[in-house]
């Protein structure tokens, strides 16, 4: 099949595009051309690249026509963030493309109520990003249900892997958290420490897109949570990280007010965004309909990412991993 991947040079595309080439597909990547895949692979030599600024072309209404001009059997959209952008693409591809597979986010669900959360037990989203992702997913379902374009939406958790920093044990990207745990120093954690995060390896997300294409009939009009098999609590996550450096985690809980006072506004806001939601999702539906089986646990995913950062000089902890 001829497959167009919009935004194919990022986290997911790094693993998805080589998968598609190995499966024998003809692959076209549409991106701004400003970044390269995080991990090199020989399959990229067989990929056609189209440079386009989606935001600008969405504004002038030319982007959907650019995508349609590729005459793809499947379009995979990894970088759609507004309902208007998604709707315009659907309108243009209807009747011309066999399958549109959209990347959403688990943040289309709000605070966890039933855990693990399924596609039918989500709570209403909050925040512009999560609300937009849920609106897009709903529009896609309605499009397919009405007999229009065949669509599928996949909703990853905290995407991690080699090449970039994972969401850390207190729900943010503060490198000081890793240094504190690696040195065995006390770490302040906001709330109870029972709050959760749900990571997923970028290659497992890529796996889900490949499966959605392969199982078009089962995926048609559906939405799927895509995460690792189990979420991590703040305490469990921190204890595991400390253990990777031969340390015991020394954790003490603080109020959110105390936590905010001891870090930057950016780190505190990101921690709140993650831990307030406390995501914990079920991938049973993806397993049953698509055969999705995550190959990496949350901890394996984080460890691979952390090891890459250390080996490439992106993170200096003053000590090495012991495991």
């Amino acid at each position: 099949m001829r497959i167009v991947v919009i935004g194919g040079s990022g986290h997911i595309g790094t693993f998805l595009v080589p998968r598609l080439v190995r499966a024998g597909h003809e692959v076209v990547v549409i991106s701004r051309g400003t970044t390269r895949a995080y991990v090199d692979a020989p399959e990229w030599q067989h990929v056609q690249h189209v440079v386009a600024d989606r935001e600008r072309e969405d504004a002038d209404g030319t982007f959907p026509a650019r995508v349609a001009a590729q005459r793809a059997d499947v379009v995979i959209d990894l970088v759609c963030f507004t309902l208007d952008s998604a709707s315009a693409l659907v309108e243009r591809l209807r009747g011309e493309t066999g399958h549109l597979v959209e990347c959403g986010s688990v943040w289309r669900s709000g605070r966890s109520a039933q855990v693990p959360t399924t596609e039918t037990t989500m709570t209403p989203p909050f925040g512009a990003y999560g609300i937009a992702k849920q609106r897009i997913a709903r529009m896609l379902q309605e499009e397919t249900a009405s007999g229009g374009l065949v669509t599928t939406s996949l909703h990853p958790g905290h995407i991690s892997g080699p090449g970039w920093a994972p969401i850390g044990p207190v729900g943010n990207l503060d490198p000081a958290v890793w240094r504190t745990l690696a040195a065995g120093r006390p770490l302040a954690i906001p709330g109870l420490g029972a709050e959760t995060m749900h990571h997923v390896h970028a290659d497992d997300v890529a796996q889900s897109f490949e499966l959605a294409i392969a199982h078009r009939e089962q995926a048609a009009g559906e939405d799927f949570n895509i995460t690792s098999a189990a979420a991590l609590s703040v305490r469990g996550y921190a204890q595991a990280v400390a253990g990777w450096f031969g340390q015991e985690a020394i954790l003490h809980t603080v109020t959110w007010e105390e936590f905010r006072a001891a870090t930057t506004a950016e780190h505190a806001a990101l921690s709140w965004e993650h831990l307030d939601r406390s995501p914990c999702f079920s991938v049973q539906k993806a397993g049953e309909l698509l055969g999705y089986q995550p190959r990496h646990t949350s901890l394996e995913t984080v460890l691979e990412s952390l090891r890459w950062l250390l080996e490439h000089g992106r993170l200096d902890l003053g000590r090495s991993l012991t495991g």
Side-chain angles (χ1 to χ4, degrees):
M1 289 189 292
R2 182 172 171 84
I3 300 177
V4 167
V5 183
I6 304 171
S9 60
H11 296 166
I12 301 170
T14 290
F15 294 92
L16 175 59
V17 171
R19 274 178 169 268
L20 296 175
V21 173
R22 288 194 297 270
H25 299 296
E26 179 184 359
V27 181
V28 180
V29 168
I30 300 178
S31 70
R32 291 176 298 175
T34 57
T35 59
R36 293 175 58 86
Y38 291 87
V39 180
D40 289 331
E43 290 84 2
W44 285 95
Q45 300 173 19
H46 306 286
V47 175
Q48 178 184 342
H49 294 270
V50 175
V51 176
D53 184 330
R54 181 180 190 159
E55 186 175 357
R56 180 180 61 79
E57 294 188 9
D58 264 343
D60 63 26
T62 60
F63 187 75
R66 179 187 289 278
V67 178
Q70 295 300 320
R71 302 299 180 189
D73 300 297
V74 177
V75 172
I76 296 174
D77 192 352
L78 301 178
V79 288
C80 185
F81 305 107
T82 69
L83 180 59
D84 286 345
S85 180
S87 298
L89 187 61
V90 166
E91 288 284 343
R92 186 63 183 81
L93 296 182
R94 187 184 297 126
E96 294 192 28
T97 299
H99 194 186
L100 172 64
V101 188
E102 188 84 16
C103 184
S105 169
V106 293
W107 279 21
R108 68 176 177 143
S109 178
R111 299 174 181 89
S112 293
Q114 299 183 43
V115 293
T117 302
T118 70
E119 290 80 359
T120 59
T121 61
M122 299 181 300
T123 61
F126 58 92
Y129 179 79
I131 291 171
K133 288 296 189 181
Q134 175 60 357
R135 286 175 174 169
I136 293 169
R138 187 182 304 116
M139 179 275 292
L140 294 174
Q141 287 181 312
E142 292 171 353
E143 167 70 17
T144 303
S146 67
L149 181 65
V150 173
T151 69
T152 304
S153 64
L154 304 174
H155 299 271
H158 312 323
I159 303 172
S160 302
W164 66 97
I167 294 298
V170 295
N172 63 28
L173 295 171
D174 185 357
V177 174
W178 305 107
R179 288 194 288 268
T180 297
L181 291 168
R185 296 194 300 268
L187 176 69
I189 57 176
L192 299 174
E195 295 83 356
T196 57
M197 290 158 278
H198 212 156
H199 295 73
V200 61
H201 196 289
D203 187 52
D204 282 327
V205 181
Q207 174 202 159
S208 72
F209 277 89
E210 188 176 11
L211 288 169
I213 293 168
H215 301 283
R216 178 178 179 271
E217 291 187 8
Q218 293 90 334
E222 300 290 350
D223 60 335
F224 299 95
N225 299 328
I226 303 297
T227 61
S228 68
L232 295 171
S233 71
V234 169
R235 286 188 177 277
Y237 189 177
Q239 288 165 355
V241 172
W244 295 339
F245 295 92
Q247 305 286 352
E248 290 286 337
I250 304 171
L251 310 176
H252 63 97
T253 59
V254 296
T255 66
W256 275 98
E257 290 73 18
E258 292 170 327
F259 182 76
R260 291 187 179 98
T263 189
T264 67
E266 180 183 4
H267 292 323
L270 194 57
S271 291
W272 177 259
E273 288 280 3
H274 286 94
L275 303 187
D276 181 44
R277 286 177 170 85
S278 279
C280 176
F281 286 86
S282 167
V283 293
Q284 182 177 351
K285 179 181 176 181
E288 291 177 348
L289 294 187
L290 304 181
Y292 173 68
Q293 294 184 338
R295 294 177 54 245
H296 306 79
T297 67
S298 288
L299 286 176
E300 288 169 346
T301 297
V302 172
L303 179 57
E304 184 177 333
S305 178
L306 187 60
R307 180 175 286 115
W308 188 96
L309 294 172
L310 293 170
E311 291 176 350
H312 288 77
R314 302 287 186 87
L315 184 63
D316 182 11
L317 301 182
R319 61 194 68 221
S320 301
L321 292 161
T322 59

